[in-house]
């Protein structure tokens, strides 16, 4: 029998209310999502005290989020890890974490992580940043929150073959120097920086320059054409999932979706995207077992990190 399906199903959760004001509950994702990424946390330069850290437009303690935190606790209680996403398309956050400002702006971020019991942070760097700064952020998070604290990064796909890159530092160099501290990469396969269908670009990343093991590359795709450029239909996503399981077995990095609230294919049931992806991974495992396929979890190209986890 093949090893259990270890592919991640990751969903980004940024829009917390529908247009009619109804709260977008994450609870229907339980059982289908391995990791929920709460977006987007920002650091605000020149703000003071608790106002330094915002979740989208509000402090995390704002009444706007009163429905959110109890349900986040329920999601975690049912086995899903919840990470915060730091940064993204809005510039400025990482400028607050350079050496001269680190001791001012990092402690409030750490306090938010503790207060809301986040399981990790997804570092989405979409502005120029030095290798030294990102390394300090990663090392400090691991030192403060321990080996079980999950640290992921969110490069555009082309950055992992040293092409188009939004972050300023070289991810392959970072992987070679800091791979033991980075749990995996939520790689953006959209917006002109990559496509998950066909799956050739994903394979190119794995084969590039002894770069990054397949178990540590999660392919993030758009869940709705309204969410950006480069949307591919879920049928294409499922096609690539099946092919990558044939190539790598049950332990490659899986798939993530940006974002939750309007995910297709079922209007008004956004959790159906994660349910469909989850079910196809398990179905493909059964297909491979039925024909006696011996392929299990992906063979790693290097010794697994002491921090590695699915």
């Amino acid at each position: 029998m093949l090893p259990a399906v270890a592919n991640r199903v990751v969903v980004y959760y940024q829009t917390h209310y529908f247009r009619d004001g109804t709260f977008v509950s994450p609870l229907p994702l339980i059982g289908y999502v391995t990791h929920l990424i709460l977006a987007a946390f920002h650091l605000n330069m020149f703000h003071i005290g608790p106002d330094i850290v915002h979740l989208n437009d509000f402090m995390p303690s704002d009444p706007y989020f009163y429905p959110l935190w109890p349900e986040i606790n329920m999601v975690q209680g049912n086995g899903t890890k919840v990470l915060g996403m730091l940064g993204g398309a809005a510039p400025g956050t990482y400028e607050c974490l350079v050496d001269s400002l680190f001791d001012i702006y990092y402690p409030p971020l750490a306090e938010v992580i503790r207060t809301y019991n986040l399981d990790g942070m997804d570092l989405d760097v979409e502005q120029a940043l030095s290798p030294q700064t990102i390394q300090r952020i990663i090392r400090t998070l691991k030192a403060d929150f321990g080996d079980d604290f999950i640290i992921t990064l969110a490069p555009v796909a082309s950055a992992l073959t040293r092409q188009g890159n939004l972050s300023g530092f070289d991810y392959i160099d970072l992987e070679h120097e800091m791979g033991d501290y980075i749990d995996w990469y939520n790689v953006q396969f959209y917006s002109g920086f990559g496509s998950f269908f066909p799956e050739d670009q994903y394979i190119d990343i794995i084969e590039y320059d002894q770069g990054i093991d397949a178990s540590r590359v999660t392919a993030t795709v758009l869940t709705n054409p309204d969410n950006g450029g480069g949307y591919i239909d879920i049928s294409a996503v499922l096609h690539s999932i099946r092919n990558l399981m044939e190539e790598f077995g049950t332990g490659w990095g899986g798939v993530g979706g940006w974002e939750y609230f309007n995910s297709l294919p079922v209007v008004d049931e956004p959790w159906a995207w994660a349910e469909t992806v989850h079910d196809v991974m398990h179905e493909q495992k059964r297909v491979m077992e039925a024909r006696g396929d011996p392929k299990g979890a992906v063979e790693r190209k290097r010794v697994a990190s002491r921090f590695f986890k699915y």
Side-chain angles (χ1 to χ4, degrees):
M1 179 176 292
L2 292 178
V5 174
N7 313 115
R8 301 175 200 95
V9 180
V10 177
V11 165
Y12 282 85
Y13 178 35
Q14 180 175 43
T15 300
H16 306 130
Y17 290 87
F18 294 110
R19 290 181 179 177
D20 65 0
T22 304
F23 176 63
V24 180
S25 172
L27 297 182
L29 293 169
I30 292 173
Y32 303 116
V33 169
T34 59
H35 300 83
L36 183 68
I37 301 183
L38 188 57
F41 287 92
H42 302 284
L43 303 181
N44 297 303
M45 195 174 290
F46 307 123
H47 290 220
I48 60 173
D51 196 45
I52 286 175
V53 184
H54 279 194
L55 176 55
N56 297 326
D57 297 326
F58 304 94
M59 290 188 296
S61 60
D62 192 275
Y64 182 85
F65 295 115
Y66 283 176
L68 175 71
W69 297 118
E71 296 205 359
I72 289 296
N73 290 337
M74 293 175 67
V75 168
Q76 290 173 306
N78 281 275
T80 297
K81 299 294 186 181
V82 176
L83 288 70
M85 186 193 105
L86 183 67
T93 289
Y94 289 96
E95 294 172 7
C96 295
L97 295 174
V98 299
D99 283 350
S100 61
L101 298 173
F102 195 88
D103 292 339
I104 297 172
Y105 291 99
Y106 173 80
L109 173 64
E111 184 61 28
V112 165
I113 293 171
R114 293 189 187 95
T115 299
Y116 297 99
N117 193 33
L118 298 178
D119 296 300
M121 291 299 291
D122 181 54
L123 306 178
D124 186 358
V125 183
E126 300 191 15
Q127 62 184 91
L129 192 69
S130 73
Q132 293 76 22
T133 298
I134 191 64
Q135 289 179 26
R136 182 179 184 183
I137 295 167
I138 293 168
R139 285 196 179 97
T140 305
L141 286 169
K142 279 293 189 187
D144 286 354
F145 296 100
D147 293 357
D148 290 336
F149 189 77
I150 299 168
I151 294 179
T152 62
L153 283 88
V156 294
S158 54
L160 297 189
T161 52
R162 289 193 169 113
Q163 299 179 60
N165 184 0
L166 299 177
S167 305
F169 54 85
D170 186 301
Y171 279 92
I172 303 301
D173 290 345
L174 182 70
E175 168 68 7
H176 291 166
E177 295 172 14
M178 298 286 294
D180 282 353
Y181 295 85
I182 299 166
D183 291 284
W184 71 85
Y185 298 86
N186 296 304
V187 184
Q188 300 179 44
F189 281 83
Y190 51 85
S191 294
F193 294 99
S195 177
F196 189 56
F197 178 81
E199 65 279 359
D200 303 34
Q201 188 175 10
Y202 184 98
I203 294 173
D204 287 345
I205 288 170
I206 307 310
E207 295 179 347
Y208 180 79
D209 191 29
Q210 299 183 353
I212 302 173
D213 187 88
S215 61
R216 301 177 62 248
V217 178
T218 296
T220 305
V221 300
L222 300 177
T223 60
N224 188 304
D226 291 341
N227 295 343
Y231 170 79
I232 58 173
D233 185 82
I234 193 169
S235 62
V237 175
L238 301 181
H239 186 276
S240 290
I241 287 172
R242 293 186 180 98
N243 287 349
L244 288 171
M245 288 189 71
E246 293 283 348
E247 177 76 15
F248 296 116
T250 59
W252 65 282
V255 175
W258 179 274
E259 61 166 316
Y260 173 43
F261 85 105
N262 63 351
S263 298
L264 300 175
V266 183
V267 177
D268 299 328
E269 295 183 9
W271 57 88
W273 183 92
E275 179 182 4
T276 303
V277 168
H278 169 278
D279 289 351
V280 164
M281 289 177 179
H282 287 76
E283 174 193 349
Q284 183 63 28
K285 175 178 180 281
R286 291 191 292 270
V287 168
M288 294 167 70
E289 285 181 335
R291 66 168 188 257
D293 193 321
K295 186 170 292 184
V298 60
E299 295 182 3
R300 300 184 178 93
K301 295 179 180 178
R302 60 182 178 83
V303 176
S305 160
R306 67 184 182 277
F307 296 124
F308 175 81
K309 57 185 73 66
Y310 286 112

